[in-house]
Amino acid sequence: MKSFKQRSACPISSSLDVLGDKWTLLILRDILFKGKSTYGEFLQSAEKMATNILADRLVNLEAHGMLTKVVAPGKKSKFTYHLTEKGIATLPILVELVLWGAQHFSTDIDVGLLEEFRTGKGVAIEKYKRLARETLA
Amino acid sequence: MKSFKQRSACPISSSLDVLGDKWTLLILRDILFKGKSTYGEFLQSAEKMATNILADRLVNLEAHGMLTKVVAPGKKSKFTYHLTEKGIATLPILVELVLWGAQHFSTDIDVGLLEEFRTGKGVAIEKYKRLARETLA
DNA sequence: AATTTTCTCTTGCATTTTGCAAGAAACAAA
DNA sequence: TTTGTTTCTTGCAAAATGCAAGAGAAAATT
């Protein structure tokens, strides 16, 4: 159990203390945009996250109250991970990362989704938030 | 000279390949929100970045076309760093990090600025973009 | 009942990155 | 000529990451 330490009182710095690495936000992406919820599903992503890193990040996210680990119904050895409101609230950050990334790199993002984000950002965000809350139930 | 490698064609992943660490976005914050532009100024931030890390990140950001290094007028040994449009375009990401951080951590953000971001995000972003372009001249 | 498969991690170890402290290099100022 | 400013560089210890193998618990299959 390592204690969390903010480097400063700056909100950006504090956010990065939790989200500032190459993997954490990809887990949130998998949950929010790809409907994933299990350890095995996270491992299958194109970026090939190492198993120990994934386990570490899941513990971290849970420790920060961003997701909850739930035993799958009828299967004691399978778990599903669901976002809390704090986790869902990272959606606008992810959307801006999508827009910046799609603008400045060669990516394979769906043009329809991109257009949805560009023209109706607020509506799109609300839609995905609703989706995340539904999967929780 | 290390070559840049995208882990996947996902725009979020690609963004994180460049921005996904604990320091890069703090440099952009210092330029965009605090009007900083020199190595010495970046070093003075509350988070106390190590000198070698700062030097490395500045090289990286320049390599990615996000900022330019300019010799200060009349001083050959002093440089100023200015953002390109690609760098300025990270502003919405930073604003979302501010909002999320201010919402979920104890921070010392100015309440006026926070309100400005909450109620008139688009306008505020344009204002800071304009500011960044002005300092460039 | 025994075996195999599924699923979630854990462990050991090499590599890479970070953090820290000291100092070097280039120029400016006194 | 000396002192100061400014931007890094270097060496080394510590921490994080990446990789491969496998452990452990439950579920499914034979």
Side-chain angles (χ1 to χ4, degrees):
Chain A
M1 184 77 69
K2 56 186 156 185
S3 73
F4 173 61
K5 184 77 180 143
Q6 288 178 234
R7 284 173 296 172
S8 78
C10 164
I12 295 176
S13 165
S14 300
S15 293
L16 293 176
D17 287 337
V18 181
L19 307 175
D21 72 277
K22 299 217 183 307
W23 298 109
T24 300
L25 285 166
L26 290 189
I27 296 173
L28 298 177
R29 170 203 65 179
D30 283 352
I31 301 178
L32 285 164
F33 292 130
K34 308 199 173 178
K36 296 184 181 180
S37 65
T38 69
Y39 185 92
E41 286 173 329
F42 298 141
L43 277 186
Q44 287 164 30
S45 293
E47 294 83 12
K48 295 293 161 207
M49 175 163 17
T51 59
N52 54 342
I53 306 288
L54 172 57
D56 176 81
R57 294 305 188 279
L58 287 172
V59 166
N60 250 327
L61 284 168
E62 201 182 1
H64 279 286
M66 302 185 61
L67 53 76
T68 55
K69 184 179 179 177
V70 178
V71 182
K75 288 202 176 192
K76 286 179 189 165
S77 68
K78 185 162 188 176
F79 307 99
T80 55
Y81 293 90
H82 301 282
L83 293 182
T84 63
E85 282 299 319
K86 184 175 177 182
I88 293 174
T90 60
L91 237 172
I93 300 170
L94 286 172
V95 169
E96 295 302 341
L97 287 172
V98 167
L99 290 171
W100 190 79
Q103 185 76 26
H104 298 280
F105 298 96
S106 161
T107 70
D108 65 356
I109 187 179
D110 178 86
V111 288
L113 184 65
L114 188 56
E115 208 47 33
E116 189 184 351
F117 285 164
R118 281 200 178 128
T119 60
K121 198 187 291 181
V123 176
I125 286 176
E126 285 314 311
K127 175 180 130 190
Y128 281 96
K129 282 191 179 176
R130 206 176 327 115
L131 264 171
R133 292 192 188 105
E134 280 167 14
T135 20
L136 218 153
Chain B
M1 183 77 70
K2 56 186 157 187
S3 72
F4 173 62
K5 185 78 181 144
Q6 287 178 235
R7 285 173 296 172
S8 78
C10 165
I12 295 176
S13 165
S14 300
S15 293
L16 293 175
D17 286 336
V18 181
L19 307 174
D21 72 278
K22 299 217 184 303
W23 297 110
T24 301
L25 284 166
L26 291 188
I27 295 174
L28 298 177
R29 170 202 66 181
D30 283 352
I31 300 177
L32 285 164
F33 292 130
K34 309 199 172 177
K36 295 185 181 179
S37 65
T38 69
Y39 185 92
E41 286 174 329
F42 298 141
L43 278 185
Q44 287 163 30
S45 293
E47 295 85 9
K48 294 294 163 208
M49 176 164 15
T51 59
N52 53 344
I53 307 288
L54 173 57
D56 176 80
R57 295 305 189 277
L58 288 173
V59 167
N60 250 327
L61 284 169
E62 201 182 0
H64 280 286
M66 301 185 62
L67 52 75
T68 56
K69 185 179 179 177
V70 178
V71 181
K75 288 203 176 193
K76 286 179 189 165
S77 68
K78 185 161 188 176
F79 306 99
T80 55
Y81 293 91
H82 301 283
L83 293 181
T84 63
E85 282 299 320
K86 184 175 177 182
I88 293 174
T90 61
L91 238 172
I93 300 170
L94 286 172
V95 169
E96 295 302 340
L97 288 172
V98 167
L99 290 170
W100 190 79
Q103 184 77 26
H104 298 280
F105 298 96
S106 161
T107 70
D108 64 357
I109 187 177
D110 178 85
V111 288
L113 184 64
L114 188 56
E115 208 49 32
E116 190 184 350
F117 284 164
R118 281 197 179 130
T119 60
K121 197 186 292 180
V123 177
I125 286 176
E126 285 314 310
K127 176 181 131 190
Y128 281 96
K129 282 192 179 176
R130 205 175 328 113
L131 264 171
R133 292 193 188 103
E134 279 166 15
T135 21
L136 219 153

